[in-house]
Amino acid sequence: AFNIIGAPLAKRAALEMAQQQVVEEVQSRIDQLGVESDGNGWTIKSLLYCVEVVCPETGWRVPLLSTLLISLKRNIVVSLVPDSTSKSYKIDIIENASQLELENASNGTVRNGSIVHSPDGQNVYRIKIGALRGDYRENGVRGNQLRMWEKSDFIPRSQDIFQERLYCIQWMKPLPKGKKFMNEFRSVTDSDLRREQKVNDYVGENFARWQTEGFLPDSLIEPGAKTDEPIRTRGWTYWHHLYSPRQLLYLATTRESVSKNNELESELTISFTRMLDWSTKLCRYGTGAARESISQTFYNQALNTFYNYGVRSFAFAKGYILDRLATEPLNSNAECHCFPANSFSTENDIYITDPPYGDAVKYEEITEFFIAWLRKNPPKEFAFWTWDSRRALAIKGEDEAFRQGMIRAYRRTAELMPDNGIQVLMFTHRSGSIWADMANIIWASGLQVTAAWYVVTETDSVLRDGSYVKGTIMLVLRKRLGEASSFRDDLGWEIEEAVKQQIETLTGLDQKVRDQGSEGLYTDADLQMAGYAAAIKVLTAYSNIDGKDMVLESEAPRQPGKKSFVEDLIDFAVQTAVQFLVPIGFEKNEWQKLTAIERYYLKMAEMEHIGERSLDNYQNFAKAFKVTKFHDVLSEASKANNARLKLSTEFKSSHMSGEGELPGTPLRALLYALFELSKETEMDDVLDHLGQTYPHYLRDKKLMAKMADYLADKRGSLEATKTFSPEVEARNARILAEAIRNQKL
């Protein structure tokens, strides 16, 4: 931020020239080796690899592919051709695949944790990958029979269970005019395999030198919550095991080139670490409808391994070195220091903090991914850094020590801030108890929230759907000067008004964006979090509530299993926010007429529509809507990450009467009507039964038609399975909505 984005324009120009020099030097070495070109003007863009194993039942070598699809956009698939002589599968790339071939390609050789293959096209063999790996659990500790790779390894040994195989190459060639390229996918040829061998030989020749000089990692992967994954699933024990030989070649060569620039080595190293993130065997290959893609390593905060993955060529990966970051030169001095927040001594007018959250990411583990590359011969500006993740000092985000440490840190910033100073605290979390903790921390620090701004910080992505929040709350903090008192009953009204204002502001902005034809800005998770922020603004303005000194109250240790006074108030804020989450298509007064279980069912139908199916989300919304028997409306097939509501055909005639929240509601009558339509009951009879099962049918006809339309819209987008047919429900709901509206009385 200070030395690249904030650098003077002349320095930025020098940096861009240095980036170009690094790329040209590395590309020259690659070209000399001849490992990225076919000699006919085509250059490798990306390479697709898979794990390959020997099936113990047949003795055949089987490539592990989660899908046989290469490109949905271009209709390209993999064809596995059995070769009985070598007892292996030849992998052909088929272009212009038929619709049937595309559908069949969705079933690879890896299905639900098993290898599935058929050498003769008749007999199907299934082997659990865990069994092949020799998984076991002893005294609560998981293990397997994989050979643990050694420091000198960079490819599998011949006796290893998991081998690695190149199965497809994407080539690119510049078009005659302009800067664009044509692309094509090809099967692997003998020439390609010779180029692969040349890469392996070159890495083998230079491997020891690169490690000695610090251009390749040579450190062990320390076991941990996230770092256990590559060790357990692949036997990779050193950080360089996460990379293919081709990646090791261009990364080591790039690191060596960067180290030669004495003036800009630090800045170039930042670009190098970005390339690291996009250049491992942990980069997932995607076959999307819009384009094919290779993900970055840290698409989430973990180190997940894959059975098939994508590797960029240097010609493709060099773009991360050449990235042109934004420029905004700083006209003032800037210093960067690292020390504990509770021990600094410099007075400041403004503080900006981004504190760790209650479920803190394991930064101490995943940061070792970068430390492994930079700890030897770091750039001079980083020479005095402690090149160790210091796991013992890692913040544990949910215990009492964490809370007290946060209080000490923010109390220190308040002490070193003038009375008219401000702090901006960035916070993103969906847990009410964590927000309650944050309120306690702010109270105990002598601060209060005077404003809360919701900033959208995440672009739309398949990785950010559903329950993911799209933004961050910016809490503006000032010193709490003087004493202010209130009572809980009065606070209830004040919190409700603040939450109402916050939600209406955000939903207004959201609707404005939708009216312009764009996707909405906020999810329900965002609005829920905004409700927390509004509540915390109200609460922290008071130093005394119900006669309690809130500083003393906030410092008191949390009692296990018992809700704190603040948590109760935060829960109230969430429930208030939920009342304002009115789905598109309903008027506010119509929505409020519905019972809690009806609002819950319809809201969760909307959540399913956007792809959110985690059981936690159903539980959280049930709590917010004050629905106690939410399991009554969930399918019995619901699992932790794949929950769903019951369809009308699953309710059948249950919950039509008796105890519970659903009997007697217009929604239940509507669902029964849909069930009758699925049984091909005459529409006149269905409408008659609606009047019988719900006494206020004539009064609420308009609302019931809207509910039917709403369910038709939400169900129509869901994917059908062998046991789940939402499209039938959607069709019946559309028919029922029209029938209700057009019914002659």
Side-chain angles (χ1 to χ4, degrees):
F2 297 150
N3 295 289
I4 298 179
I5 295 172
L9 295 179
K11 184 177 179 181
R12 282 302 301 271
L15 174 58
E16 290 176 8
M17 185 179 297
Q19 290 172 323
Q20 188 64 44
Q21 288 172 347
V22 167
V23 164
E24 289 175 359
E25 182 175 341
V26 178
Q27 189 66 65
S28 175
R29 182 85 283 256
I30 299 289
D31 292 343
Q32 288 173 20
L33 290 171
V35 294
E36 283 195 356
S37 171
D38 70 349
N40 297 309
W42 289 86
T43 301
I44 294 175
K45 180 179 182 181
S46 58
L47 307 98
L48 305 185
Y49 293 83
C50 67
V51 171
E52 190 169 59
V53 299
V54 175
C55 169
E57 292 188 31
T58 63
W60 278 60
R61 294 201 308 275
V62 184
L64 302 191
L65 296 165
S66 56
T67 177
L68 300 181
L69 188 63
I70 295 290
S71 173
L72 185 60
K73 177 185 177 182
R74 306 166 196 249
N75 295 353
I76 301 175
V77 300
V78 162
S79 174
L80 298 181
V81 182
D83 181 350
S84 57
T85 303
S86 63
K87 299 189 81 171
S88 65
Y89 290 90
K90 182 184 176 186
I91 300 178
D92 288 338
I93 304 304
I94 307 299
E95 296 180 311
N96 301 315
S98 66
Q99 187 60 40
L100 179 60
E101 287 174 319
L102 287 171
E103 291 173 3
N104 291 337
S106 61
N107 293 317
T109 57
V110 177
R111 303 178 202 172
N112 299 319
S114 293
I115 303 165
V116 181
H117 75 114
S118 177
D120 58 8
Q122 296 179 350
N123 298 303
V124 177
Y125 298 90
R126 294 177 182 269
I127 306 94
K128 285 284 186 184
I129 295 175
L132 188 69
R133 196 167 47 209
D135 288 357
Y136 65 86
R137 183 182 291 272
E138 190 173 298
N139 298 324
V141 178
R142 290 193 297 180
N144 56 50
Q145 301 300 320
L146 290 180
R147 178 186 72 86
M148 295 294 104
W149 284 33
E150 297 178 9
K151 185 178 177 180
S152 59
D153 291 322
F154 61 88
I155 56 175
R157 296 184 188 176
S158 58
Q159 73 272 25
D160 284 342
I161 294 171
F162 290 145
Q163 297 295 308
E164 294 170 355
R165 177 177 178 179
L166 174 65
Y167 69 94
C168 180
I169 299 178
Q170 183 182 19
W171 295 84
M172 61 183 181
K173 186 177 184 179
L175 291 168
K177 294 182 180 180
K179 296 181 179 180
K180 293 187 176 182
F181 290 78
M182 61 180 106
N183 290 273
E184 63 179 42
F185 289 91
R186 300 182 198 164
S187 303
V188 177
T189 66
D190 289 341
S191 296
D192 297 325
L193 295 178
R194 284 194 291 271
R195 280 187 283 271
E196 285 289 288
Q197 188 58 50
K198 190 180 290 188
V199 169
N200 292 350
D201 293 343
Y202 186 81
V203 172
E205 292 165 8
N206 292 274
F207 187 78
R209 176 181 69 84
W210 283 338
Q211 285 196 327
T212 301
E213 295 178 6
F215 302 136
L216 274 188
D218 62 358
S219 52
L220 280 162
I221 301 174
E222 185 180 340
K226 299 302 178 185
T227 50
D228 272 349
E229 183 76 2
I231 301 172
R232 181 181 62 81
T233 61
R234 291 292 186 275
W236 296 338
T237 56
Y238 283 78
W239 283 105
H240 66 271
H241 295 158
L242 274 57
Y243 303 84
S244 73
R246 187 176 295 270
Q247 291 166 330
L248 291 176
L249 186 155
Y250 67 68
L251 289 171
T253 309
T254 301
R255 180 89 171 91
E256 185 172 11
S257 179
V258 166
S259 71
K260 297 175 185 176
N261 192 313
N262 293 326
E263 295 302 316
L264 294 169
E265 184 182 1
S266 294
E267 289 81 356
L268 290 169
T269 297
I270 300 299
S271 299
F272 173 72
T273 56
R274 178 158 162 73
M275 188 164 72
L276 283 179
D277 184 23
W278 293 85
S279 302
T280 73
K281 293 188 287 190
L282 309 185
C283 293
R284 177 178 56 183
Y285 177 71
T287 61
R291 63 182 178 88
E292 311 80 32
S293 63
I294 300 175
S295 72
Q296 62 193 121
T297 303
F298 292 110
Y299 71 93
N300 65 6
Q301 292 80 31
L303 292 165
N304 300 313
T305 59
F306 299 102
Y307 294 116
N308 57 298
Y309 52 89
V311 169
R312 292 170 173 78
S313 66
F314 181 73
F316 186 7
K318 68 185 180 185
Y320 299 110
I321 295 291
L322 297 173
D323 264 354
R324 299 291 184 253
L325 298 176
T327 300
E328 191 62 43
L330 291 174
N331 296 314
S332 61
N333 293 327
E335 296 180 6
C336 185
H337 302 284
C338 296
F339 44 74
N342 60 5
S343 65
F344 75 102
S345 57
T346 306
E347 292 190 4
N348 296 288
D349 296 326
I350 301 171
Y351 293 87
I352 301 174
T353 57
D354 186 1
Y357 310 138
D359 54 353
V361 175
K362 298 289 183 183
Y363 291 115
E364 71 277 14
E365 293 182 16
I366 61 178
T367 306
E368 292 165 2
F369 171 91
F370 299 101
I371 289 174
W373 282 89
L374 305 181
R375 68 184 187 88
K376 280 190 175 182
N377 306 318
K380 60 181 183 295
E381 286 85 354
F382 303 147
F384 301 103
W385 284 26
T386 302
W387 287 99
D388 184 275
S389 63
R390 307 176 82 178
R391 288 193 184 191
L393 300 181
I395 292 168
K396 304 297 187 292
E398 292 185 334
D399 58 14
E400 187 60 24
F402 164 77
R403 197 164 68 94
Q404 293 299 330
M406 290 275 281
I407 289 172
R408 287 192 295 272
Y410 280 98
R411 185 173 284 166
R412 187 63 177 154
T413 60
E415 291 169 353
L416 293 170
M417 183 176 79
D419 287 352
N420 66 342
I422 65 167
Q423 297 196 31
V424 178
L425 189 160
M426 297 181 274
F427 199 66
T428 305
H429 209 285
R430 295 186 57 201
S431 164
S433 63
I434 299 300
W435 275 90
D437 267 352
M438 183 53 67
N440 284 325
I441 290 163
I442 293 169
W443 257 314
S445 305
L447 298 166
Q448 72 177 89
V449 178
T450 57
W453 300 91
Y454 198 98
V455 180
V456 176
T457 55
E458 299 292 342
T459 55
D460 288 332
S461 160
V462 294
L463 301 177
R464 288 285 178 189
D465 278 346
S467 64
Y468 284 105
V469 292
K470 289 188 175 182
T472 295
I473 296 285
M474 304 290 185
L475 298 174
V476 179
L477 311 180
R478 296 182 184 272
K479 281 188 175 180
R480 193 171 55 252
L481 303 173
E483 300 289 327
S485 301
S486 186
F487 293 93
R488 178 169 177 153
D489 290 345
D490 296 331
L491 279 176
W493 293 105
E494 200 171 342
I495 288 174
E496 183 171 346
E497 186 59 34
V499 171
K500 176 183 176 183
Q501 184 178 350
Q502 182 84 305
I503 299 299
E504 287 181 345
T505 298
L506 293 184
T507 51
L509 289 170
D510 194 70
Q511 190 58 53
K512 188 175 181 180
V513 170
R514 289 179 189 273
D515 289 345
Q516 294 171 354
S518 300
E519 289 290 325
L521 290 171
Y522 308 108
T523 66
D524 283 351
D526 294 304
L527 299 178
Q528 182 178 325
M529 198 166 69
Y532 290 140
I536 208 172
K537 177 183 173 184
V538 171
L539 294 174
T540 57
Y542 297 100
S543 54
N544 188 293
I545 298 175
D546 281 358
K548 297 178 180 179
D549 184 324
M550 294 310 296
V551 174
L552 294 177
E553 190 76 18
S554 61
E555 289 181 313
R558 188 193 291 170
Q559 297 181 31
K562 185 178 180 182
K563 267 193 178 181
S564 69
F565 175 61
V566 178
E567 282 181 289
D568 280 338
L569 292 174
I570 293 288
D571 278 351
F572 172 78
V574 178
Q575 290 156 13
T576 303
V578 163
Q579 304 306 313
F580 295 96
L581 301 180
V582 181
I584 295 171
F586 291 92
E587 299 297 329
K588 184 178 176 182
N589 64 327
E590 292 174 327
W591 185 246
Q592 291 178 337
K593 280 175 63 176
L594 299 175
T595 63
I597 190 70
E598 290 176 295
R599 290 199 296 268
Y600 173 75
Y601 187 92
L602 295 172
K603 176 55 67 175
M604 298 323 293
E606 184 174 51
M607 290 289 97
E608 292 177 355
H609 171 68
I610 64 173
E612 173 48 50
R613 300 276 297 278
S614 73
L615 188 57
D616 280 349
N617 208 43
Y618 290 83
Q619 293 169 335
N620 289 336
F621 271 95
K623 181 179 176 183
F625 279 100
K626 293 186 177 179
V627 173
T628 57
K629 297 183 178 181
F630 71 96
H631 285 291
D632 287 349
V633 299
L634 290 191
S635 165
E636 293 177 3
S638 293
K639 298 178 181 178
N641 294 313
N642 195 26
R644 67 172 177 82
L645 297 168
K646 286 180 181 176
L647 297 177
S648 64
T649 51
E650 294 170 293
F651 278 108
K652 298 181 180 178
S653 59
S654 64
H655 301 290
M656 289 298 293
S657 60
E659 299 294 325
E661 298 164 293
L662 198 57
T665 63
L667 175 64
R668 183 64 195 96
L670 193 71
L671 290 170
Y672 185 71
L674 291 175
F675 167 63
E676 288 191 303
L677 284 178
S678 73
K679 295 296 182 182
E680 300 184 358
T681 306
E682 291 291 332
M683 181 58 75
D684 287 343
D685 292 335
V686 170
L687 294 175
D688 285 343
H689 295 162
L690 262 178
Q692 295 167 18
T693 53
Y694 181 58
H696 304 295
Y697 167 66
L698 294 180
R699 183 193 69 190
D700 293 335
K701 270 185 62 180
K702 181 181 176 183
L703 176 58
M704 293 181 78
K706 279 191 176 184
M707 284 196 285
D709 278 330
Y710 182 83
L711 289 175
D713 177 53
K714 305 310 175 191
R715 296 284 188 240
S717 64
L718 301 184
E719 185 177 346
T721 66
K722 291 181 180 179
T723 58
F724 180 58
S725 303
E727 74 282 357
V728 175
E729 182 110 323
R731 184 185 68 241
N732 288 338
R734 277 190 287 272
I735 294 170
L736 182 60
E738 285 302 309
I740 292 173
R741 273 191 291 268
N742 297 323
Q743 183 183 15
K744 295 180 180 179
L745 302 174

